[in-house]
Structures are given as structure tokens and as C-alpha cells.
Amino acid sequence: MSYQTSRGKSRKSKTAFQVKPVRATEVAIAILEDLTSTYSSVCNYTRAITLLREGETYLAYLEVEERNKEAVVTTPVQHWVKAQGSAAVKKLVDPAWDRNPATFSTWFSNEKRCERLNRKFDLLASLYLQGDFSRLIDTGFYPEMTRFRAAIRYVLGDIPPLDDIAEAAYYGPGSSTDVKGREVHYVRKLEGEECVAGSLDLASRMLSHDKAVWAHVGMDPNYSHLPEAREGFERVMREILAKKVVDADHLMFVHKGIAVKRSICAQPSVSGALQLGFHVVIARLLKDLCNIDLGDQGWNQALARQGSIGWRSANPICTLDKKDASALLCSSLVTHLFPPAWAKALTRTRTRSYLTPPEMGGEVIPYHMYGGMGNGTTFCVQTLVFWAGTYATSGYSSPEEYAKSKVFAVYGDDVALYRDHATRYISFMRFMGFRFNAKKTFLDGPFRESCGADFYDGQLVRPATVDSESGILSDLELIGIHNTLADGPYALKRACARIR
């Protein structure tokens, strides 16, 4: 007897529809399986797949890296296969692998290095003031230091435009020392009122531009355009901020990769907003005077492609990347090599100490670095420092002439230069205390990488990265991985089908 349903009636499922979470390791397995099957002549990730299924995520990562060391790369597709295999596992998390020891060790090692660098720059500044130029010349980099200082002054000028900085300031989207978690929004930060002592006056001026703050402190914003009213507001605001002065930001660590975490330094709410005012102004100066647009990575990517195409030439474009760049920008470099008024203003806006998280002891420790990630001025200041370094090691007679040449690309610590220039730049930046990432610095061969664009012999070979700290991928993350795999240079059809 056949089963028939009544016309017009529908069958109801006994099981409610459920959206099951997708584990990041499942996607990594799908990618590694497709790579192993489709490109068997290039890779074999069978053992890594088994380890992932057994829950040994960190061992699977080591296995992929070991197999990649054995692979010979002579074509774009071979390079992409290796990169995609690594990208499938390098940003996963293994709960059994403790990332803290390596992370903490790196932090304190960088701070110790900055402490030594500060003594070095203090000594160089003392020699300069004493007129002991013979000892400065003995360093081997005195001409470069002189040109470096000239480049910084060319961009910044002698006096910071404090009114412009105060007006440009704004609250960023991240956590601060007094506002965390779900409370991170404008209204809570407006109520935060934590500030470093050195920037009370400028912070009060900054807040006078926000009519909501006038209302918050019980003053009529309709009078905010009157000079006398603004003076009164700034006086009241300074008294309020002075009651909540702090001198330490909060050090925390967030997900970076399977082996280590990334450091973030949450700033006091008001100081953090003021730092972003400095960022806006310095970014504007970089764009107007140096042809560096911090809102556009395209020029770095274009030069990376050009270097990859022309790698066989006698003097190709190279891409350079530093290791722990923000953490190795020591405070005395800014103090002694920036125009004095700018150095003072930047220093008065930064926190001088940091509070370590409970797992590191919960101590307040003085900074030796200028300001880590989280300080709103770090990115623009390091971009300026690295651009000044490229000018200092160039053959151009003036910063203005060099800026117009466009024979460089600088975005944060991502730098692209012709090879003869790049070797001089590397030597000088090492003297200034920075390290270069050997895995991401390319002087030879057909591969170039800068600002998220990877090229091998001119062909785009950027892989799709499976990045998850929780172990579960959101719908948007899945879509992003799928589309990168589908639209990439060598589509992984089986992996895409499994993700769908």
C-alpha cells in the first residue's frame, strides 16, 4: 500500500531545523584534503589531517610546516599550495598548547631591548649636545641620523598644531582602561574621563569641541562658541579630569596565531581619543608632504607586484617587513630625534607605565618602548619613522624631492624599495634598533609580499586564512574563506563544496 498525503496538507518534520556550528578544524581539514588530493605532486598533508581529527591541532601545524620545508618551489602554483596549507592551520588555537610563556617572553625581551636602546639614544643625544661629532661619526651612521632628523622636521615642522589636534580627536572603537566589553561605546567613553596627567590641558581643550560633554558636565552647549564660555568649560573640565588621572595603560594579549598572542595596550579613554587626534593630523601631513596615504595600501601592493614581475633585473623592488616593529620603537628615539615641541607633546600624551594582566603578576611597570599597539599615535609615528629612514638612506638631496619621486612605499612597517636602497635601509634601521622578519622580507627571488598582497612572478598567490580563537567560525567568516578559495588563483572546488 502506498502512502498518500491529503491534498492541501503538508507534512511537518518531527525534527526542528538547527544551524550547527562549524568548527575551524573541519574547514582546515577540508582544505588540506583538497590540497593533498588535487596537488599531490606538490604536497602531502595526510599526517596533519589525521592529527587534526585527533584534536592535536598544534602538532598538525608543526607537521604542515615540516612538510612545507621539504617542498621545492619553482612555480606560482607550488608557492600557493604551500602558503594555503600553512594558512589553513597557523591561526587556529589548540587549548592544550599554552601560548603565554612564549608571548610573555617576547614582551619582556622587547622591553629589555628598548631599555638598552634608550641608553644608546640618550648617549648619542648627549654627544650631539656636547659637539663631540668625532664619536658620532664613529658610529658609521651620523650622516643618516642627520638626514633622518631633517626628514622628521620636514613633515612635522617645529610646532604641533594643538588646536587642530584637539579638534580632530575622537573616541576609537576599542576597549580603554575604564570601558570594556559590551560597554565599549561613545556614551560610556564620554563618561570615562580617565586621562594622563601630562595632557590635562590639551584634553580639556579637546573635549570643549564636543557639545555632548558640555551637557554631561552641566554646562549649556549653546554657548560653546563663545571664547569666555570655552575658557570656563576648560577650567571645569580640567578639574574633573584631574580627579581621574592615571599614568598606566592596561596590557592585554589577544589572539594572533597558534604559537603566540598579540599585545594590546588599552589606553585611558580621554588620552586615547587625544592620541587619535595626533594620528589624524600626522596622517594628513604624511599624505600632503610624503605621498603616503594611511587610508590606502594600494601603492605598497602595486610595488610588490612590480618587484615580483621584475625580480630578475639587476636592481628589483624588494618588500621589507619588520618584527615587533611597534614594540621596538623606543621612547628616546622620539624624545631626541623629533622636533622638541612635537616630542614633548607626544610624550605628554602617552602613558608612562603599563599594568600587566593577573597572569603576569598584575604589576605596574614603567615603559621603555614609546607606545605599543593600542596607543593611537603608534601607527602614524612608526610610519613617519620608517619613511624618514628611507629618505636618510636614499640618494636624494632633500626630503621634498624624495617625496615627489615615489620610488618608495611605506605603510606602517611594510616598506618597498629598490634593492640597492633596501640594503642600506636595512643596515640603518638595525642601527636604530629594529629587527627584520626574515620570513617576510624579500630581496631575491620571484616572491613579494606587502600589505596583504602576495605575488609570485607577478601572479597573485594570496591564500585563504582560517582564523579562529574560539574554534567556531561565524557565517561571515565561512563566507569569507569560501569566497577567497573560490575566487583565488587556484580554486579548491571540493573544499568549497564542503564548506557550502
Side-chain angles (χ1 to χ4, degrees):
M1 181 185 296
S2 63
Y3 179 80
Q4 295 181 347
T5 59
S6 302
R7 186 173 296 178
K9 295 182 179 181
S10 59
R11 297 176 58 188
K12 293 184 178 180
S13 172
K14 295 181 180 179
T15 304
F17 176 75
Q18 294 179 333
V19 177
K20 294 183 179 179
V22 177
R23 292 186 294 125
T25 51
E26 295 177 22
V27 176
I29 289 170
I31 292 172
L32 294 181
E33 285 183 336
D34 201 349
L35 288 171
T36 300
S37 174
T38 306
Y39 301 100
S40 57
S41 62
V42 181
C43 68
N44 184 351
Y45 296 127
T46 304
R47 175 60 180 157
I49 294 167
T50 301
L51 288 168
L52 282 174
R53 289 199 170 110
E54 293 173 351
E56 300 288 354
T57 308
Y58 188 74
L59 292 180
Y61 159 72
L62 295 179
E63 172 66 17
V64 169
E65 295 301 300
E66 195 62 31
R67 297 286 75 78
N68 283 349
K69 290 178 184 177
E70 300 171 355
V72 177
V73 175
T74 58
T75 65
V77 65
Q78 290 171 339
H79 177 93
W80 175 82
V81 168
K82 280 182 55 177
Q84 185 56 73
S86 179
V89 293
K90 68 181 182 180
K91 288 188 177 291
L92 301 177
V93 171
D94 187 340
W97 177 256
D98 187 0
R99 297 179 289 176
N100 284 344
T103 301
F104 297 168
S105 175
T106 298
W107 172 266
F108 286 121
S109 174
N110 287 336
E111 272 287 82
K112 194 69 178 177
R113 183 177 176 88
C114 282
E115 183 180 17
R116 296 193 299 269
L117 288 169
N118 284 334
R119 291 199 296 267
K120 170 181 171 178
F121 283 110
D122 291 346
L123 174 60
L124 292 173
S126 177
L127 293 175
Y128 183 81
L129 291 174
Q130 294 170 21
D132 193 348
F133 298 110
S134 62
R135 292 179 65 185
L136 288 171
I137 292 170
D138 287 343
T139 64
F141 291 99
Y142 179 61
E144 287 82 359
M145 284 191 288
T146 301
R147 288 166 59 85
F148 178 91
R149 195 191 303 265
I152 298 290
R153 178 168 273 104
Y154 161 75
V155 177
L156 298 180
D158 290 322
I159 306 298
L162 296 181
D163 285 332
D164 292 345
I165 290 167
E167 190 170 0
Y170 64 97
Y171 293 109
S175 297
S176 60
T177 56
D178 48 341
V179 182
K180 302 179 179 68
R182 293 182 179 179
E183 293 187 335
V184 177
H185 53 75
Y186 168 75
V187 175
R188 277 292 293 114
K189 287 196 173 183
L190 182 145
E191 298 170 347
E193 297 171 349
E194 287 196 347
C195 183
V196 297
S199 61
L200 287 176
D201 291 333
L202 188 55
S204 300
R205 194 187 311 182
M206 171 196 83
L207 293 172
S208 72
H209 292 283
D210 190 339
K211 292 184 178 181
V213 181
W214 285 66
H216 175 64
V217 300
M219 299 184 71
D220 191 341
N222 291 318
Y223 297 101
S224 62
H225 65 287
L226 298 176
E228 297 84 356
R230 293 176 75 90
E231 288 178 12
F233 171 89
E234 290 178 23
R235 185 169 56 252
V236 171
M237 198 71 240
R238 194 187 193 286
E239 292 174 358
I240 293 173
L241 295 177
K243 296 176 182 178
K244 294 189 177 181
V245 163
V246 296
D247 201 32
D249 59 33
H250 291 182
L251 174 63
M252 61 185 73
F253 297 95
V254 297
H255 175 60
K256 179 182 180 182
I258 195 168
V260 294
K261 296 179 182 178
R262 185 192 310 277
S263 63
I264 294 290
C265 307
Q267 302 297 301
S269 292
V270 176
S271 299
L274 190 55
Q275 291 165 5
L276 291 173
F278 276 90
H279 172 88
V280 170
V281 170
I282 294 175
R284 189 184 304 147
L285 292 170
L286 286 168
K287 185 175 182 179
D288 293 343
L289 299 174
C290 304
N291 278 313
I292 294 175
D293 186 351
L294 294 185
D296 184 3
Q297 301 174 330
W299 185 240
N300 277 70
Q301 296 171 344
L303 287 194
R305 182 174 182 272
Q306 187 177 330
S308 177
I309 293 172
W311 69 275
R312 294 180 181 85
S313 67
N315 189 29
I317 292 174
C318 305
T319 53
L320 318 171
D321 187 72
K322 297 172 189 69
K323 186 175 182 180
D324 299 326
S326 60
L328 293 179
L329 177 60
C330 67
S331 60
S332 288
L333 187 155
V334 175
T335 300
H336 297 308
L337 295 177
F338 277 48
W342 272 97
K344 182 179 180 180
L346 288 165
T347 299
R348 290 173 70 87
T349 307
R350 66 186 280 268
T351 48
R352 297 178 182 273
S353 307
Y354 59 93
L355 173 66
T356 61
E359 57 269 27
M360 288 178 76
E363 301 175 278
V364 175
I365 302 174
Y367 266 120
H368 298 294
M369 69 179 69
Y370 164 73
M373 298 307 295
N375 182 314
T377 67
T378 295
F379 185 69
C380 62
V381 167
Q382 74 171 359
T383 300
L384 174 58
V385 164
F386 298 141
W387 178 81
T390 67
Y391 165 70
T393 50
S394 74
Y396 285 83
S397 58
S398 72
E400 184 176 10
E401 181 187 0
Y402 178 65
K404 291 178 180 177
S405 72
K406 292 279 284 184
V407 293
F408 61 86
V410 181
Y411 188 93
D413 67 327
D414 275 327
V415 175
L417 298 169
Y418 284 94
R419 185 161 59 199
D420 60 355
H421 186 181
T423 54
R424 298 193 301 271
Y425 172 75
I426 289 172
S427 297
F428 179 51
M429 284 293 101
R430 283 174 174 162
F431 170 78
M432 300 289 274
F434 298 99
R435 295 192 182 104
F436 285 81
N437 189 338
K439 293 183 178 180
K440 293 187 176 183
T441 294
F442 302 95
L443 301 175
D444 303 292
F447 182 74
R448 298 290 186 271
E449 171 192 15
S450 190
C451 293
D454 300 2
F455 298 96
Y456 189 100
D457 209 7
Q459 294 190 38
L460 188 65
V461 289
R462 185 75 174 179
T465 301
V466 182
D467 189 346
S468 174
E469 182 176 18
S470 66
I472 302 298
L473 294 170
S474 68
D475 291 347
L476 287 178
E477 288 170 333
L478 278 172
I479 291 170
I481 294 168
H482 173 276
N483 290 350
T484 303
L485 288 172
D487 299 337
Y490 309 100
L492 290 177
K493 296 181 180 180
R494 297 174 186 172
C496 288
R498 290 179 63 179
I499 291 173
R500 290 195 296 270

